[in-house]
Amino acid sequence: MVQRMLTTAEAEEIWNWSRHLATCFGSQNLEERCQAINTLLADASSRPHISLHDGRPHLHYSAADAGAAAHIRAITAAGLAYMVCFAGADRLGRCARSGCGLAFVDTSRNGRRAYCSVRCANNDAVARHRGRRRGAD
């Protein structure tokens, strides 16, 4: 992907796109998750193709002349589809810390990640510990 500055309209389009991505994360059944991602794939309307421009075959998800927002839509929709098909649908999670709920992709070896970051995991552990101590007092 070529780095480029976003126009105000492209930035708004990507912000709106991110709201659609949110429906793919968290606890849901496989059919619902696949339908949400299929909707994104259709909305991205990308045309994946193999390119040899650097001498080695690799996949491009959108046309070279497509705008930055189109590239981002195509790459994120394809990435989510790839995760569901090859890594596991349950790897698209939501942070377990109360009040957070940020989306994350679980890339851990065992697939048991529950928090969006180490900070949220630590904050939740501290809150649980303090809650137990209050109950013991």
Side-chain angles (χ1 to χ4, degrees):
M1 181 176 226
V2 176
Q3 186 176 2
R4 54 182 104 189
M5 296 298 292
L6 296 176
T7 65
T8 303
E10 287 174 323
E12 186 175 324
E13 184 177 346
I14 292 167
W15 173 256
N16 291 333
W17 178 253
S18 73
R19 304 301 89 192
H20 295 291
L21 294 175
T23 63
C24 301
F25 291 86
S27 184
Q28 58 189 285
N29 72 44
L30 182 58
E31 189 173 326
E32 289 172 331
R33 189 179 319 268
C34 289
Q35 182 56 47
I37 294 172
N38 281 335
T39 299
L40 291 175
L41 288 166
D43 289 348
S45 64
S46 66
R47 298 190 63 185
H49 63 280
I50 298 171
S51 175
L52 295 169
H53 67 83
D54 66 354
R56 296 182 49 152
H58 59 276
L59 196 56
H60 282 262
Y61 291 97
S62 59
D65 62 344
H71 282 294
I72 291 169
R73 285 193 322 270
I75 290 167
T76 54
L80 289 172
Y82 183 88
M83 285 301 296
V84 168
C85 292
F86 299 108
D90 55 340
R91 297 254 180 174
L92 301 176
R94 290 253 176 219
C95 187
R97 185 176 67 85
S98 178
C100 180
L102 286 177
F104 64 87
V105 176
D106 182 355
T107 58
S108 67
R109 183 174 286 177
N110 67 3
R112 297 194 185 269
R113 183 173 164 187
Y115 299 95
C116 66
S117 65
V118 173
R119 176 177 275 181
C120 269
N122 288 340
N123 287 346
D124 197 43
V126 168
R128 284 181 284 133
H129 173 72
R130 288 178 179 163
R132 285 192 301 271
R133 288 197 59 182
R134 274 192 298 267
D137 291 342

